[in-house]
């Protein structure tokens, strides 16, 4: 089939590689004039890395990043709540990979250009609108000089992010993304490894949280690149339209400067960061359908969610596999897209809703509510088996199975 994809992010490029490997004629259109390695850290769960392994890119991603060994939760005093092994260390067939978002995107882009051809990855083509015309989807694209061009295909996959023009056309009254009342400040810092050197940690609670994990191998000077996120309640946000702006230390550092654990210098990570970026924590309400004729949504365009449980990029990559499988199974376009949507829309809607309730991070919130000044014995805070149940329920919801 002739398939056009809007967006050269993780979801769009994964779909392009999977569909090309399945024998389809694929072209990717990206709105930015130059595709560059932007962003900070990202996590890929095993049910995403198994897909990327089938696309032949996992070894390169591991060279760029870290195979996460375990995820541990703590309260704001550094008291341990829960740890679970991750990826291959947790019995999965493929690793959980922590790496720079730019490293992931550039690796996928390199492979897409090599396999599809340079002329099949077109930057500087921003989707303005679409229409269905007979047996085709027509994408109306705008170039930097203002010129508009049209691209026709049997299926148009729109992976154009949380501000998707395709979704806006389908749902013109959707308004701004839904703000949670919380803001994330993110940065990366070269620092000495902590714990195992491949540890992902979360500390605090919903209104005051710190997350960090390494995204590179250790350099000769004994340091590795640590990705960190500081999160606070900010009920009134003055400029919600600026979703990725440079952050100010004064807005969050005073809260975290007193944080210092025996095994992690939180204040030092923030102070030594190469830069700080501010992200309002937003998502959108699940919708009834992603599909309009020969056009469908994928990734953040379809199901923007809070970055809880490392599911943003992972779910987009799963979308890519699902739509490839649906197309390869054949049938009419309406049947293909109904199959894809029927499998993925309910599953991702459930994750969106679960992440609003903190997903697996519930254990930190419960620890804070039950023991706000800390605890002497964890057994006084949680019933036997309660922490395991929280972790297992979220894994089941998100499709993270060891058979992956």
């Amino acid at each position: 089939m002739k398939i056009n994809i809007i967006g050269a992010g993780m979801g769009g490029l994964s779909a392009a590689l999977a569909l090309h490997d399945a024998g389809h004629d694929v072209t990717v259109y990206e709105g930015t004039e130059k595709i560059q390695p932007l962003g900070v850290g990202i996590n890929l769960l095993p049910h995403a890395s198994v897909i990327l392994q089938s696309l032949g890119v996992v070894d390169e991603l591991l060279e760029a990043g870290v195979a996460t060994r375990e995820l541990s939760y703590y309260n704001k005093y550094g008291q341990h709540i829960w740890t679970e092994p991750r990826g291959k260390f947790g019995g999965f067939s493929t690793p959980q990979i922590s790496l720079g978002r730019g490293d992931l995107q550039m690796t996928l882009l390199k492979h897409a250009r090599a396999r599809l051809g340079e002329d099949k990855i077109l930057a500087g083509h921003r989707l303005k609108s679409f229409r269905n015309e007979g047996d085709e989807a027509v994408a109306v694209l705008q170039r930097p000089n203002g010129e508009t061009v049209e691209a026709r295909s049997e299926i148009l996959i729109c992976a154009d992010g949380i501000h998707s023009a395709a979704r806006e056309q389908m749902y013109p009254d959707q308004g701004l993304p839904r703000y949670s009342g919380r803001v994330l400040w993110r940065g990366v810092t070269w620092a000495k490894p902590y714990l195992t050197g491949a540890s992902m940690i979360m500390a605090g609670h919903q209104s005051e949280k710190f997350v960090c994990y390494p995204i590179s191998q250790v350099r000769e000077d004994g340091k590795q690149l640590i990705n960190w996120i500081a999160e606070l309640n900010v009920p009134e946000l003055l400029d919600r339209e600026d979703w990725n702006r440079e952050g100010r230390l004064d807005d969050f550092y005073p809260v975290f400067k007193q944080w210092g654990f025996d095994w992690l210098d939180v204040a030092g990570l923030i102070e030594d960061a190469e830069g700080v970026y501010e992200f309002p924590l937003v998502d959108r309400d699940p919708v009834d359908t992603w599909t309009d004729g020969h056009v469908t949504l994928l990734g953040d365009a379809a199901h923007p969610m809070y970055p809880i449980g490392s599911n943003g990029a992972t779910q987009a990559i799963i979308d890519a596999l699902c739509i490839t499988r649906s197309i390869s199974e054949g049938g009419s376009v309406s049947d293909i897209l109904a199959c894809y949507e029927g499998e993925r829309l309910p599953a991702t809607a459930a994750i969106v809703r679960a992440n609003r309730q903190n997903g697996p991070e519930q254990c930190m919130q419960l620890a804070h509510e039950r023991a706000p000044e800390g605890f002497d014995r964890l057994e006084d805070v949680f019933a036997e088996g309660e922490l395991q149940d929280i972790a297992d329920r979220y894994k089941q919801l998100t499709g993270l199975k060891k058979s992956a």
Side-chain angles (χ1 to χ4, degrees):
M1 299 184 75
K2 171 58 181 172
I3 302 167
N4 288 336
I5 298 173
I6 305 298
M10 277 68 73
L13 291 173
S14 296
L17 288 170
L19 288 163
H20 175 268
D21 286 358
H24 302 288
D25 179 9
V26 183
T27 303
V28 179
Y29 296 91
E30 165 60 32
T32 58
E33 290 187 60
K34 184 177 181 181
I35 306 172
Q36 301 183 74
L38 301 175
V40 282
I42 200 166
N43 263 273
L44 295 174
L45 298 178
H47 49 335
S49 64
V50 72
I51 297 168
L52 296 180
Q53 184 177 64
S54 72
L55 298 176
V57 302
V58 161
D59 288 345
E60 289 178 56
L61 298 179
L62 283 172
E63 289 179 7
V66 173
T68 307
R69 181 177 290 271
E70 80 282 335
L71 168 60
S72 297
Y73 298 96
Y74 298 83
N75 65 11
K76 64 183 291 184
Y77 307 107
Q79 293 179 300
H80 178 255
I81 300 170
W82 175 251
T83 291
E84 58 182 24
R86 306 296 280 184
K88 284 191 171 182
F89 301 99
F92 292 88
S93 63
T94 51
Q96 176 172 324
I97 306 173
S98 300
L99 75 166
R101 183 190 182 281
D103 291 326
L104 172 59
Q105 186 179 17
M106 291 301 104
T107 299
L108 294 173
L109 179 63
K110 181 185 74 172
H111 282 266
R113 283 173 168 162
R115 298 181 203 178
L116 278 66
E118 292 279 352
D119 61 333
K120 293 289 189 176
I121 313 291
L122 301 176
H125 288 73
R126 186 175 301 279
L127 181 70
K128 299 298 291 181
S129 64
F130 68 82
R131 67 180 186 273
N132 288 285
E133 199 170 275
D135 292 333
E136 292 181 313
V138 182
V140 180
L141 304 153
Q142 186 173 60
R143 303 183 69 179
N145 62 6
E147 173 191 4
T148 59
V149 296
E150 295 187 349
R152 295 174 176 267
S153 57
E154 293 172 79
I155 293 178
L156 176 64
I157 300 172
C158 297
D160 50 339
I162 192 170
H163 295 297
S164 167
R167 179 169 172 142
E168 178 69 23
Q169 181 172 329
M170 293 180 188
Y171 297 95
D173 298 325
Q174 68 177 349
L176 293 173
R178 180 182 180 275
Y179 176 51
S180 66
R182 289 136 66 188
V183 171
L184 313 178
W185 289 269
R186 304 193 61 170
V188 292
T189 306
W190 286 100
K192 291 183 178 180
Y194 63 90
L195 297 178
T196 65
S199 303
M200 182 176 186
I201 71 98
M202 300 186 181
H205 53 90
Q206 176 178 298
S207 302
E208 189 177 321
K209 182 170 65 178
F210 192 81
V211 179
C212 68
Y213 50 87
I215 58 173
S216 80
Q217 301 298 318
V218 180
R219 297 189 308 196
E220 290 185 1
D221 64 359
K223 295 183 178 181
Q224 64 182 158
L225 195 60
I226 309 295
N227 178 87
W228 58 263
I229 306 104
E231 178 178 335
L232 293 175
N233 266 12
V234 182
E236 296 295 329
L237 194 63
L238 295 178
D239 188 358
R240 288 179 55 190
E241 276 301 285
D242 191 352
W243 303 104
N244 187 5
R245 62 187 171 202
E246 189 171 343
R248 300 189 316 156
L249 285 178
D250 289 345
D251 290 339
F252 70 100
Y253 178 64
V255 174
F256 294 96
K257 68 179 180 180
Q258 303 302 323
W259 285 38
F261 312 143
D262 292 342
W263 44 272
L264 183 68
D265 181 7
V266 173
L269 284 177
I270 296 172
E271 292 167 359
D272 296 338
E274 296 180 350
V276 177
Y277 299 92
E278 179 179 312
F279 297 77
L281 186 63
V282 298
D283 67 3
R284 289 191 186 275
D285 290 329
V287 292
D288 294 332
T289 182
W290 298 340
T291 302
D292 182 343
H294 290 243
V295 182
T296 196
L297 306 176
L298 184 147
D300 280 350
H303 46 73
M305 60 184 64
Y306 296 166
I308 288 173
S310 304
N311 266 288
T314 289
Q315 295 300 322
I317 293 166
I318 296 172
D319 289 348
L321 175 67
C322 181
I323 198 165
T324 300
R325 186 172 60 240
S326 297
I327 292 171
S328 297
E329 288 173 355
S332 67
V333 169
S334 61
D335 288 343
I336 287 168
L337 297 184
C339 179
Y340 160 66
E341 184 178 292
E343 180 176 340
R344 295 299 298 148
L345 193 155
T348 54
I351 299 171
V352 169
R353 296 187 182 102
N355 283 3
R356 290 177 178 177
Q357 302 302 316
N358 294 313
E361 298 172 24
Q362 289 178 28
C363 65
M364 295 192 300
Q365 187 64 21
L366 290 172
H368 172 68
E369 292 172 359
R370 296 172 183 176
E373 303 302 322
F375 50 82
D376 294 323
R377 297 188 333 127
L378 188 63
E379 295 84 354
D380 296 332
V381 183
F382 292 95
E384 183 178 356
E386 185 178 4
L387 291 166
Q388 185 70 62
D389 287 345
I390 292 170
D392 289 346
R393 282 198 304 271
Y394 191 74
K395 288 176 186 174
Q396 183 177 13
L397 176 74
T398 60
L400 185 55
K401 303 174 182 177
K402 290 191 178 181
S403 60

